[in-house]
Amino acid sequence: MTKKQAFSQLAVFVLLASLLVVPTVHAQQATRLAKQFSSSLAQRRGLCVYLGGTETTIPLLLSAGGNHIVNILTPDSDAVESMRTEISEQQLLGVVTAEQVSLGHLPHSSNLVNLVVVDQLGKQLAAGLQLKDVMRILAPGGVAWIGQSRSAGGLSESALKLQLEKAGIDDAAIVKEDGLWARIVKPRPATMDTWTHNKYDATANPVSRDSQIGVPRGVRWVAGPNWPTGYRKSAVPTVVASRERLVYVFQDEVVVDGKLERQDSLIARDAYNGLPLWRRKGTTTVLVSVGDRVYTTDAGRHLLALDADTGKQLTDFSADAKLVIHQLLHIDGTLVVGTETGLSVLEAASGKTLWSKQLAIKDHRQLVVGTVAGKKIIFCHDDLSRRGEGSFMVALAISDGTTLFRQSTEDWANGSPDLVLVQDDILVAADSKGNHGVSAKDGKHLWSYSYPRIGHGGSYNKVLSMNGLFWIHTANTQESGQYAWEGLDPQKGKVVKRVIQPVDFKIKHRCSVDVATTRFFMCGSMDFADLVTGDYEHFEAARNSCAQASMLPANGLLYTFPHACG
């Protein structure tokens, strides 16, 4: 073999080796980047948007075999078909999608997407992409990765920072691994709120502080059955919302031994886009969602703590198995539970019982937690009326169970009253004639207020505390025959403000619980009364659920649930 032939063979070998190495290096880099991007998410499933030219390797890896839904967006119409072919070859059609779009305005709703990756930033900007639009579609707590992978090159750190500055993004972390990236976590607005308990929080006052919510102007997402299953009228007996997740009990219909059977399911969805996160058999309506935990009970009403991201039972939480639980409240790292024998207070982290008290709590559920003079206090209705021994409003120190007061209801209540809520140093109670105000400081009765209830669904238990007033819904304000929300002074029980329903505005009242924000009453059939303007408005595109679920205002959204009621 001549030197020339040997050199030619060597050149061919080097060329072939380089062709083999480049894809391998690219695949390794893509794997590292996909892991880097997905691991930055707060939860294991999510909606991802990828803007990176015609490249599909990273989006396919981002899907994690179906855990993440990935939308590839490109202005290149010629590349879409080949990208879809590559997606199909990986059997990920529907999980990963490729769409030709104009990058001038991304096609997603605001606050919807968990992860956005912008690769080849220069090309995307040249195609019309606005980084402000990237931040618009990102959900609170969502993550954007903006920059250039190493294989693309051509982006300096100063140029990247300049583009971020132009978009008003000033809290990005610069990452110099497998390229140059800016990692941005979208902050959660202070104007958003959660709904951690069946009636908002441990006070049982169903009023959200979420000022982003008003009368809906559209539908953000739809998920699950449109109608209740198993021939039910309502489908969701209880629902809560944390900062990241919507968790609810769904009265499901599942296949058991080849036959459909009614069986409740406990379901978690992403709060902003509705993607299913997990599902497990539901056995109770006791439900609280706080931070990275969901508290509920099993079929025997024994307390469980679940990982909010996976739905799996946490092994480092163990509550006393003798506690048979009917009510559950969470406050400042403490759980207050209503049991068949009274109430107990537990450590929220471990489930350890701190103290217990034997009481005949009405329905095993009538207890709330409020703050008086800066101290957390448990209030409950100790109902011994069936034994002929009276009915009492009781206050207990949350720290050790010390009885702060125990006051009889005999002098003011018509029968055994219901404890409705606590707010502004006042306990609100309801009996068959109206509402009552009781001092949360000493348990003394302060006022009574009677009024004609609205028709279907009218209840003296439907009281709201908003902006320093207690609000009730009457069918005959000032003897006018008109429906109205009346605001009562908490200390005196006197009407100081009215939001009167116009004569020509018709509301079909429902059995569902009324809820509110600090500005809007939400009642009837998706009907809204504006506390500021006094205007009434109806939303036609959806309807609140029957019974307890109703509507749930949280995370800048208004959630509704399936129903089969006219």
Side-chain angles (χ1 to χ4, degrees), residues 370-377 425 440-441:
T371 303
V372 177
K375 295 182 179 180
K376 295 291 188 294
I377 298 175
D425 294 341
K441 297 178 180 179

Side-chain angles (χ1 to χ4, degrees), residues 93-330:
L93 282 174
V95 175
V96 181
T97 60
E99 300 293 335
Q100 186 269 324
V101 299
S102 168
L103 299 188
H105 182 76
L106 299 177
H108 296 79
S109 296
S110 301
N111 296 330
L112 188 75
V113 180
N114 305 109
L115 175 67
V116 180
V117 177
V118 181
D119 196 359
Q120 302 181 39
L121 176 59
K123 290 184 178 180
Q124 311 311 322
L125 293 174
L129 180 67
Q130 301 290 324
L131 295 188
K132 286 184 178 180
D133 206 30
V134 170
M135 299 307 295
R136 176 188 64 79
I137 69 171
L138 203 61
V143 183
W145 288 85
I146 299 171
Q148 196 86 53
S149 57
R150 182 183 299 165
S151 59
L155 179 67
S156 67
E157 183 175 347
S158 60
L160 175 58
K161 289 182 175 179
L162 178 61
Q163 293 300 328
L164 297 174
E165 183 181 346
K166 287 180 178 179
I169 301 170
D170 55 7
D171 53 354
I174 301 300
V175 179
K176 299 177 182 179
E177 295 178 15
D178 290 304
L180 177 65
W181 301 95
R183 178 182 179 273
I184 306 119
V185 179
K186 184 171 181 175
R188 178 183 172 87
T191 50
M192 283 186 178
D193 199 3
T194 57
W195 193 283
T196 57
H197 292 62
N198 202 27
K199 287 191 175 180
Y200 180 68
D201 67 1
T203 66
N205 179 35
V207 177
S208 171
R209 278 65 177 173
D210 197 318
S211 61
Q212 294 201 11
I213 300 170
V215 181
R217 301 303 179 202
V219 177
R220 176 66 58 82
W221 54 264
V222 177
N226 290 327
W227 302 97
T229 58
Y231 306 101
R232 299 175 176 92
K233 273 197 170 184
S234 61
V236 177
T238 188
V239 57
V240 293
S242 67
R243 295 163 67 99
E244 297 89 12
R245 303 167 191 90
L246 184 74
V247 184
Y248 58 97
V249 175
F250 181 68
Q251 295 176 322
D252 213 345
E253 198 171 31
V254 299
V255 177
V256 179
D257 296 328
K259 297 180 180 179
L260 281 174
E261 290 188 6
R262 292 183 180 185
Q263 179 178 292
D264 290 355
S265 293
L266 182 61
I267 298 171
R269 293 185 180 276
D270 184 283
Y272 299 100
N273 54 47
L275 285 179
L277 303 176
W278 50 265
R279 174 191 295 253
R280 58 183 284 151
K281 187 175 181 180
T283 55
T284 178
T285 58
V286 175
L287 189 61
V288 170
S289 180
V290 179
D292 59 359
R293 288 191 174 193
V294 173
Y295 296 96
T296 186
T297 60
D298 61 17
R301 291 190 174 274
H302 303 126
L303 189 60
L304 305 175
L306 309 178
D307 184 308
D309 189 36
T310 65
K312 294 181 180 179
Q313 185 175 344
L314 295 172
T315 57
D316 60 351
F317 180 93
S318 179
D320 187 346
K322 295 189 292 293
L323 297 177
V324 180
I325 293 168
H326 293 261
Q327 177 65 295
L328 174 63
L329 306 174
H330 180 281

Side-chain angles (χ1 to χ4, degrees), residues 47 122 270 324 364 377 433 440 471:
L47 173 61
D270 184 283
V324 180
H364 307 303
I377 298 175
K433 292 185 177 180
W471 292 87

